[in-house]
């Protein structure tokens, strides 16, 4: 007997909205209907032309995972860390106690398209040293459970393939491409919450084949089922499956600062403005790419 699949509890369409400077995002997690899908704070599918971007801004208390689909993005932070990521590459940034950075498309490009996920950090990691884990497309391992199904294992495990990314909040992040008329059954830890965000095509999820079209967030039931079954019919599909262990801690968010209490937010704003407790480099810094 095969175990029951997680089912879909809701489907929410993400329409484009303005964000950053001249950027457009389809917000998945983080929109009013999908606030704080613990441990996830935000998922944006971004489209930025060469004149837009996300110039100098801070973060504290969580991680940002930037995954490029098309075009090139450059980043530069207040400690001199910089780089460029292209199609299929990813940057897993642990902001911890503090990062100030700029995230901008490479100017010669016409458009940069990708996903940015915000993962909350547990209390004991919120003030950790910042860390970057950068992976090029060719370094991300693939699972191929059958012909016509390709699973890029960005975080966690799929069909015997494990990601090398270190997660402080246990997270599964899979980029899945399926030809038409395929089925994949993915194992998910019973305690994880999760969702699918669809990029292209139409998929059918769970034992009752819930239909999900492009640019929708499909949230998983929290019933302890340890698999999710996904099928394609007449169309091929491309989507991401994201799941994680809920932290079950208080969340107090003030824009790019996410802490456990109001007092911690007040001290974060003080630290940012006075350049203390991790924001020392913020004192006279401005990026060269913004
Ligand atoms: C922002 C704080 C932020 N979506 N998608 C406040 F951190 C941001 C921000 C982003 C962002 C960056 C990328 Cl590369 C992709 C994103 C929000 O940097 F827009 C606001 N308003
Ligand atoms: Fe940022």
């Amino acid at each position: 007997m095969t175990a029951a699949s997680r089912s879909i509890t809701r489907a929410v369409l993400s329409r484009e909205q303005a964000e950053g400077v001249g950027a457009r995002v389809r917000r998945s997690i983080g929109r009013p209907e999908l606030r704080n899908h613990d441990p996830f704070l935000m998922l944006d599918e971004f489209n930025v032309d060469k004149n837009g971007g996300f110039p100098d801004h801070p973060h504290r208390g969580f991680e940002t995972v930037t995954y490029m689909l098309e075009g090139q993005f450059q980043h530069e932070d207040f400690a001199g860390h910089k780089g460029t990521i292209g199609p299929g590459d990813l940057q897993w940034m642990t902001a911890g106690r503090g990062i100030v950075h700029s995230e901008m498309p490479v100017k010669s490009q016409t458009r940069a398209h990708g996903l940015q996920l915000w993962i909350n950090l547990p209390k004991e990691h919120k003030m950790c040293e910042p860390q970057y884990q950068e992976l090029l497309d060719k370094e991300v391992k693939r699972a191929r459970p059958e012909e016509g199904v390709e699973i890029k294992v960005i975080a966690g495990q799929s069909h015997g393939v494990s990601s090398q990314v270190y997660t402080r909040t246990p997270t599964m992040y899979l980029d899945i491409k399926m030809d038409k008329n395929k089925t994949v059954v993915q194992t998910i830890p019973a305690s994880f919450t999760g969702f699918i965000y669809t990029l292209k095509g139409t998929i059918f999820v769970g034992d009752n084949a819930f239909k999900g079209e492009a640019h929708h967030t499909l949230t998983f039931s929290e019933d302890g089922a340890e698999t999710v079954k996904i099928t394609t019919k007449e169309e091929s599909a491309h989507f991401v499956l994201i799941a994680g262990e809920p932290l079950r801690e208080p969340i107090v968010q003030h824009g790019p600062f996410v802490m456990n209490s109001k007092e911690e937010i007040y001290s974060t704003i003080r630290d940012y403005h006075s350049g203390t407790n991790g924001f020392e480099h913020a004192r006279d810094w401005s990026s060269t790419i913004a």
Side-chain angles (χ1 to χ4, degrees):
M1 201 194 92
T2 50
S5 165
R6 297 281 186 111
S7 55
I8 298 304
T9 51
R10 58 192 313 190
V12 181
L13 172 65
S14 296
R15 291 198 174 83
E16 280 198 325
Q17 61 189 72
E19 188 50 286
V21 176
R24 312 277 303 162
V25 304
R26 290 180 190 269
R27 181 152 297 161
S28 156
I29 303 306
R31 57 184 303 107
E33 310 93 304
L34 296 169
R35 208 153 277 275
N36 294 338
H37 197 74
D38 188 15
F40 305 107
L41 301 162
M42 190 194 83
L43 176 67
D44 277 358
E45 178 186 358
F46 59 88
N47 264 300
V48 186
D49 70 26
K50 63 177 187 298
N51 301 313
F54 301 92
D56 309 13
H57 61 276
H59 294 281
R60 175 182 276 181
F62 62 101
E63 303 186 298
T64 69
V65 182
T66 309
Y67 179 49
M68 291 309 293
L69 296 167
E70 298 167 85
Q72 309 261 335
F73 229 53
Q74 18 173 8
H75 59 90
E76 179 180 337
D77 84 2
F78 69 167
H81 183 98
K82 55 175 118 180
T84 301
I85 50 173
D89 302 342
L90 72 121
Q91 181 200 63
W92 194 292
M93 184 188 90
T94 305
R97 62 212 299 256
I99 286 274
V100 183
H101 71 169
S102 174
E103 300 164 281
M104 305 295 285
V106 172
K107 297 297 174 221
S108 59
Q109 298 281 314
T110 51
R111 161 175 121 118
H113 175 210
L115 295 170
Q116 188 171 91
L117 175 69
W118 288 11
I119 308 173
N120 203 2
L121 282 168
K123 197 177 198 54
E124 67 268 25
H125 288 298
K126 281 193 178 291
M127 293 297 281
C128 72
E129 274 306 304
Q131 188 199 2
Y132 291 94
Q133 299 178 77
E134 275 159 343
L135 287 181
L136 298 176
D137 180 50
K138 61 172 191 249
E139 297 167 333
V140 183
K141 292 188 225 164
R142 270 78 166 169
R144 289 191 181 79
E146 64 170 297
E147 190 64 36
V149 178
E150 187 186 70
I151 305 178
K152 268 179 81 173
V153 187
I154 294 170
Q157 297 185 315
S158 180
H159 298 84
V161 176
S162 298
S163 164
Q164 58 271 58
V165 167
Y166 169 62
T167 57
R168 290 163 176 80
T169 301
T171 302
M172 165 177 281
Y173 190 158
L174 307 174
D175 171 325
I176 306 184
K177 284 183 177 149
M178 297 172 69
D179 286 350
K180 58 185 180 180
N181 298 316
K182 296 287 170 190
T183 291
V184 64
V185 177
Q186 174 62 44
T187 301
I188 300 176
S191 59
F192 279 20
T193 63
F195 63 94
I196 283 171
Y197 180 74
T198 51
L199 293 162
K200 234 175 132 178
T202 301
I203 55 174
F204 298 85
V205 186
D207 296 322
N208 52 7
F210 188 101
K211 183 178 180 181
E213 292 174 322
H215 309 297
H216 281 74
T217 303
L218 310 173
T219 60
F220 294 162
S221 56
E222 289 166 25
D223 51 13
E226 292 192 311
T227 66
V228 62
K229 182 168 99 173
I230 303 150
T231 299
T232 50
K233 293 185 181 171
E234 304 89 59
E235 263 187 290
S236 62
H238 183 198
F239 56 94
V240 291
L241 187 163
I242 295 170
E245 183 75 50
L247 303 177
R248 305 189 198 288
E249 290 175 7
I251 300 167
V252 182
Q253 177 164 3
H254 178 75
F257 304 134
V258 183
M259 303 301 287
N260 299 117
S261 68
K262 275 190 193 166
E263 290 66 33
E264 288 169 342
I265 289 293
Y266 300 145
S267 52
T268 298
I269 294 167
R270 263 200 315 276
D271 287 342
Y272 176 52
H273 288 296
S274 61
T276 52
N277 295 312
F279 285 113
E280 286 75 7
H281 292 292
R283 280 182 189 157
D284 329 281
W285 182 79
S286 62
S287 81
T288 61
I289 59 174

